[in-house]
Amino acid sequence: MTVDIQPIRGMNDVLPAQIGAWQRLEDCARELLASYGYEEIRVPVVEHTALFKRAIGEYTDVVEKEMYTFCDQGGESLTLRPEATAGIMRALISNGMLRGQRHKLWCVGPMFRHERPQKGRYRQFNQIDVEAVGVPGPDVDAELIALTTRLWRRLGIERVRLEINSLGTPESRRAYREKLVGYFRAHEGALDADSRRRLEGNPLRILDSKNPEMRAVVAGAPLLTDHLDPESREHFDALCAALTSIGIPFQINPRLVRGLDYYSRTVFEWITDALGSQDAVCSGGRYDGLIAQLGGEPTPGIGFAMGVERVVELLLQAGQAPAARAADVYVVVSGARATAAGIGLVERLRDELPARRFDLNLGGGNFKAQFRRADRSGAALALILGDDELARGVAGVKPLRNEAGQSECPLPELAAAIEAALAGAAAPAE
Ligand code: HAM
């Protein structure tokens, strides 16, 4: 009986043909983050469900509708992480790493949300997540944003713009929330079902509604930015001044509220017009109350995560994804003795030329078939080792991408001959 095994909707394979852009992004981010003093951390993909409920908030879309939650054999409720911040903060607490210390951390890996899949929105997606813990001031906010700006520049991504906002402190937000609820109650007839439900639990999220029929009522709502406490106002003004002084353009979006409850003060989002409706490529903000809320000693923090699939798509669109690197040398072997000796010879060459890529013909085949494979491999050079050559202590060297003819080279001099031939192959044709 054949079994029709399909991939899970919204969960994608990343095939070798696509991996170049992923590696370019990851390599670039890794190098940049290290240069800003960030250290990599790896945390589990599965955590107790209670962690995400407590950190992200009971009334958020993520917790209400999107978590992959299950009971394990021991009867514990576990959840596939929908984001990385909660797990990283849990790790800092469980490993006793707070105690007034500062941490600059990052991680990359898969996250899981049961959303409706569409282009740019998946059920398993990857984030590069960055967190700075222990610094309260707006200087770290500005530096994190500068880091992301530099990443776009290094990657050659231009179609992104920055939106920022301040959510104030939980106290100022509470006062604002009352005003907002009052306003929406007065306009209850104009609210859709989702927003009416949110009125009790999370009225700020109504401001984020994507429903076009809600646009007018949202546009008339009081603005959080007009109700900030003085310290949050000062923090936000200092951030704006720092961004201006380092020349990073931004837009203040007073309706940017973010979908996770742990934020306070600074929030920001990098938006693109190149990906259709899934326009946020990198989002984050400050979460000064989160660690205390999870039972750790009160410690401020700020961070962001970028959607790897979305940034990869931007790289592809901008023509910034590198092509797969072909082999340098394809090794053709012919005859029983040469086949047996081939692997040893190529291992020696790999010792001598560690930066070169060798593709040894495996599994036999006549000369014609082997040269066809050599051609398909994209290698610049074929090395030919037959019983006859082996008996004479030489190998054939044949450039595959120019008209230069085949030559012979004594085996001990092969590494130098390969380098010379590859240098010749790289030179422009006359
Ligand atoms: P988030 O806004 O939920 O924030 O996600 C961050 C980024 O992940 C989004 O801007 C988007 O690029 C990508 N993303 C989110 N959902 C999907 C999806 N279903 N498919 C593809 N990409 C997606 C957070 O997750 C916070 N933990 C960020 C943070 C870190 N805040 C402070 N520290």
Side-chain angles (χ1 to χ4, degrees):
M1 197 180 77
T2 58
V3 185
D4 184 17
I5 296 180
Q6 298 293 330
I8 297 170
R9 216 160 90 78
M11 302 201 179
N12 302 308
D13 303 308
V14 181
L15 302 176
Q18 305 148 358
I19 209 75
W22 287 67
Q23 289 175 341
R24 166 125 202 271
L25 169 58
E26 285 169 13
D27 291 350
C28 194
R30 180 171 281 116
E31 198 182 299
L32 184 68
L33 285 159
S35 77
Y36 276 76
Y38 283 78
E39 297 176 297
E40 187 174 354
I41 181 169
R42 300 184 187 193
V43 293
V45 171
V46 185
E47 298 271 3
H48 292 292
T49 304
L51 171 70
F52 299 117
K53 284 192 174 167
R54 174 96 63 98
I56 296 171
E58 298 262 5
Y59 291 102
T60 56
D61 279 354
V62 171
V63 169
E64 277 186 341
K65 308 185 204 159
E66 297 168 3
M67 295 211 297
Y68 279 89
T69 295
F70 59 96
C71 255
D72 75 355
Q73 279 85 339
E76 280 197 275
S77 178
L78 305 180
T79 294
L80 296 184
R81 63 179 182 194
E83 57 104 55
T85 313
I88 294 177
M89 297 312 127
R90 197 269 312 131
L92 289 176
I93 298 168
S94 4
N95 291 287
M97 290 168 73
L98 291 168
R99 302 202 183 98
Q101 292 176 57
R102 296 166 168 201
H103 295 282
K104 300 206 284 188
L105 302 167
W106 72 277
C107 80
V108 57
M111 312 294 154
F112 303 84
R113 295 185 193 175
H114 196 272
E115 294 191 79
R116 200 142 37 85
Q118 62 178 84
K119 189 169 168 52
R121 186 167 70 198
Y122 308 107
R123 290 181 172 172
Q124 175 174 330
F125 60 98
N126 291 268
Q127 285 185 342
I128 293 176
D129 181 277
V130 180
E131 311 289 354
V133 172
V135 185
D139 48 358
V140 61
D141 308 21
E143 195 194 54
L144 267 184
I145 290 175
L147 184 160
T148 50
T149 312
R150 192 176 295 280
L151 182 68
W152 308 137
R153 207 161 55 226
R154 284 203 186 167
L155 290 170
I157 289 177
E158 287 170 352
R159 285 176 73 176
V160 285
R161 61 183 183 80
L162 174 65
E163 290 190 350
I164 63 173
N165 191 22
S166 176
L167 302 181
T169 59
E171 294 74 42
S172 65
R173 207 155 60 242
R174 219 167 289 135
Y176 167 71
R177 194 186 135 121
E178 273 170 33
K179 283 210 168 63
L180 195 63
V181 171
Y183 168 82
F184 282 130
R185 285 226 186 286
H187 296 80
E188 211 158 338
L191 300 185
D192 59 13
D194 236 17
S195 302
R196 241 173 275 139
R197 201 173 40 81
R198 282 187 169 140
L199 204 47
E200 283 309 316
N202 198 347
L204 262 73
R205 287 291 287 161
I206 301 177
L207 298 174
D208 217 17
S209 170
K210 302 278 185 285
N211 182 351
E213 285 165 19
M214 293 276 301
R215 216 167 273 154
V217 68
V218 166
L223 291 180
L224 179 53
T225 13
D226 294 336
H227 296 83
L228 288 184
D229 54 287
E231 289 78 20
S232 296
R233 162 62 51 200
E234 204 179 304
H235 186 112
F236 192 55
D237 289 345
L239 169 63
C240 294
L243 292 177
T244 305
S245 85
I246 47 181
I248 297 175
F250 62 90
Q251 247 177 340
I252 297 173
N253 175 0
R255 300 193 197 287
L256 178 64
V257 292
R258 308 277 300 120
L260 314 165
D261 275 0
Y262 49 61
Y263 292 111
S264 56
R265 293 197 170 153
T266 308
V267 288
F268 65 94
E269 219 155 58
W270 286 94
I271 310 282
T272 180
D273 62 2
L275 297 180
S277 62
Q278 301 310 307
D279 59 358
V281 287
C282 172
S283 342
R286 188 161 269 290
Y287 46 84
D288 291 341
L290 175 59
I291 293 176
Q293 200 178 315
L294 295 177
E297 77 187 59
T299 312
I302 178 167
F304 66 80
M306 64 182 65
V308 173
E309 285 79 356
R310 294 183 190 179
V311 180
V312 161
E313 183 59 31
L314 290 183
L315 279 175
L316 293 170
Q317 285 187 17
Q320 296 288 348
R325 198 180 137 190
D328 294 307
V329 182
Y330 194 94
V331 184
V332 170
V333 284
S334 157
R337 287 185 48 221
T339 301
I343 189 161
L345 177 81
V346 177
E347 285 302 308
R348 200 194 79 209
L349 289 171
R350 286 180 172 131
D351 287 341
E352 289 177 89
L353 304 173
R356 291 299 182 187
R357 298 184 176 203
F358 291 90
D359 196 348
L360 169 64
N361 186 79
L362 299 170
N366 60 29
F367 254 125
K368 203 166 155 210
Q370 292 197 42
F371 269 100
R372 229 182 358 250
R373 284 183 205 141
D375 196 44
R376 250 186 268 130
S377 77
L381 209 63
L383 208 63
I384 301 141
L385 192 66
D387 283 352
D388 168 53
E389 282 92 351
L390 191 64
R392 289 189 288 117
V394 298
V397 178
K398 182 173 167 44
L400 293 171
R401 313 286 154 193
N402 63 30
E403 297 306 313
Q406 185 170 333
S407 56
E408 265 185 6
C409 172
L411 293 179
E413 291 158 32
L414 215 41
I418 287 171
E419 278 305 339
L422 286 173
E430 284 178 28

